[in-house]
Amino acid sequence: MATNIPFVRDIEFEYGKCDQLSPQIRRVVAKNPSAFTYTGTGTYIVGRGRVAVIDPGPRDPRHVDAILAATQGEQITSILITHTHNDHSPATELLREHCDARTFGFGPHGAGKNTEDEVVVEEGGDMAFRPDEHVRHGDRIGDGDWEVECVYTPGHTSNHICYRLASERVLFTGDHVMGWSTSVISPPDGDMASYMESLELLLANSDETYWPTHGPAITQPQTHVEAFVAHRLEREDQIIEQLKQRRHHIAEMVPIMYSDVDQRLHPAAARSVYAAVLYMLEKELVRCEGLPSLEAPFYLN
């Protein structure tokens, strides 16, 4: 029986308007809806007076104006980036024209130098972003009345990092865990083994609420993450079944495994299957004759 992922998709917002989500958290949603961004990028503002902005979003002057309007009379001192896809970090440059904020992130865009592949299945990589401060797992960033802990969660990208606001038992999860959808894992920068380890890392913590960059809050995070882990393991079982049916190429598997998914998303699905197969290669569940690739044939061990 397929895992029932407890998706949460209902979100109330108005583009350009700032919503107060909790005593320390506000959000402005960018008008960049798509098959990969849901209703758009949710930019979070943390604290009062001297504030942090998490994921300023796409390079959209209207969205930057909305962030500035939401923080009028305050000082943006820190810009925190979860990862460097084009719906998350490019607005940093525009925002810094209006403030002296320091930028924080794990690092520049990683192994995904194959930007042609990424544009097909995701929002593309922001190759220009370089953080002022390279943060690592366990580092803390704070100013005024707020402090966050950095939680390194590679998998969706190699430089993906979440930020924990311990004062509210909240985790800003970027694209690592979303309520409306599972994440695309697209090699080479996306890595399924790292993604699964990062999910297990979250299960070891007791955050009460996740705020993804897309979609609404996840208020039962443990249940949600457990379902994500089970879902990925079920995908492995599906791949094994496809191989038993002598479908040895990913292109043959995807239309069957994702028969209920819009065909326009099948290229993204194919790369997620490829990520799963690479993980299965590591675990010696399958083998490949020759070098692994999206087009290569795979076989059961």
Side-chain angles (χ1 to χ4, degrees):
M1 181 180 294
T3 298
N4 181 25
I5 300 175
F7 288 119
V8 284
R9 297 187 170 109
D10 293 336
I11 177 172
E12 294 185 7
F13 72 98
E14 181 181 330
Y15 288 120
K17 179 184 176 183
C18 182
D19 293 312
Q20 188 77 45
L21 304 177
S22 76
Q24 285 194 293
I25 303 170
R26 291 167 276 172
R27 181 183 62 200
V28 181
V29 179
K31 195 172 185 179
N32 62 329
S34 77
F36 297 106
T37 63
Y38 195 40
T39 58
T41 299
T43 296
Y44 293 100
I45 301 164
V46 180
R48 286 287 181 184
R50 297 175 63 83
V51 303
V53 168
I54 301 178
D55 283 349
R59 191 180 176 86
D60 180 353
R62 296 169 300 176
H63 182 56
V64 171
D65 286 345
I67 296 170
L68 292 170
T71 56
Q72 188 173 9
E74 299 178 293
Q75 185 178 357
I76 300 171
T77 63
S78 307
I79 299 173
L80 282 52
I81 303 299
T82 63
H83 67 293
T84 47
H85 277 145
N86 280 336
D87 52 319
H88 289 255
S89 57
T92 300
E93 183 180 359
L94 297 180
L95 191 58
R96 290 185 77 181
E97 293 176 0
H98 303 274
C99 65
D100 295 324
R102 298 284 290 173
T103 61
F104 298 81
F106 187 82
H109 204 64
K113 295 180 176 61
N114 59 330
T115 52
E116 291 181 3
D117 281 344
E118 287 197 312
V119 169
V120 169
V121 302
E122 258 283 1
E123 293 297 303
D126 178 7
M127 310 307 288
F129 178 77
R130 298 289 187 277
D132 297 321
E133 304 287 346
H134 290 247
V135 296
R136 295 295 180 263
H137 184 74
D139 286 353
R140 295 180 182 274
I141 308 165
D143 193 356
D145 67 344
W146 63 270
E147 181 183 75
V148 298
E149 177 189 357
C150 301
V151 182
Y152 182 45
T153 51
H156 176 63
T157 62
S158 59
N159 67 353
H160 195 289
I161 197 158
C162 300
Y163 298 98
R164 173 172 292 121
L165 183 66
S167 62
E168 295 195 2
R169 301 190 72 177
V170 159
L171 188 70
F172 298 98
T173 56
D175 285 1
H176 180 54
V177 177
M178 300 180 290
W180 73 281
S181 174
T182 57
S183 296
V184 173
I185 312 299
S186 178
D189 197 38
D191 182 83
M192 189 64 73
S194 296
Y195 180 72
M196 296 296 280
E197 289 174 5
S198 296
L199 289 179
E200 294 293 341
L201 176 67
L202 297 196
L203 286 175
N205 288 280
S206 57
D207 304 297
E208 292 183 349
T209 304
Y210 291 172
W211 284 106
T213 303
H214 308 288
I218 299 169
T219 57
Q220 295 182 312
Q222 291 279 319
T223 300
H224 206 91
V225 173
E226 287 169 357
F228 271 20
V229 171
H231 167 73
R232 296 294 181 176
L233 295 176
E234 282 177 357
R235 286 295 190 209
E236 291 185 11
D237 291 340
Q238 287 182 305
I239 291 167
I240 289 172
E241 183 59 32
Q242 293 301 305
L243 294 175
K244 287 180 179 178
Q245 297 296 322
R246 299 184 178 180
R247 297 185 186 96
H248 298 289
H249 291 84
I250 291 172
E252 300 172 308
M253 301 178 193
V254 168
I256 298 170
M257 292 174 59
Y258 292 83
S259 60
D260 58 342
V261 173
D262 189 326
Q263 290 186 4
R264 291 174 296 180
L265 298 179
H266 281 191
R271 297 202 68 84
S272 274
V273 172
Y274 181 43
V277 169
L278 292 178
Y279 184 35
M280 295 169 74
L281 277 171
E282 289 185 33
K283 296 190 288 184
E284 300 184 347
L285 296 175
V286 300
R287 70 182 190 277
C288 178
E289 294 184 359
L291 292 175
S293 72
L294 194 61
E295 294 78 26
F298 295 93
Y299 302 87
L300 284 173
N301 267 339

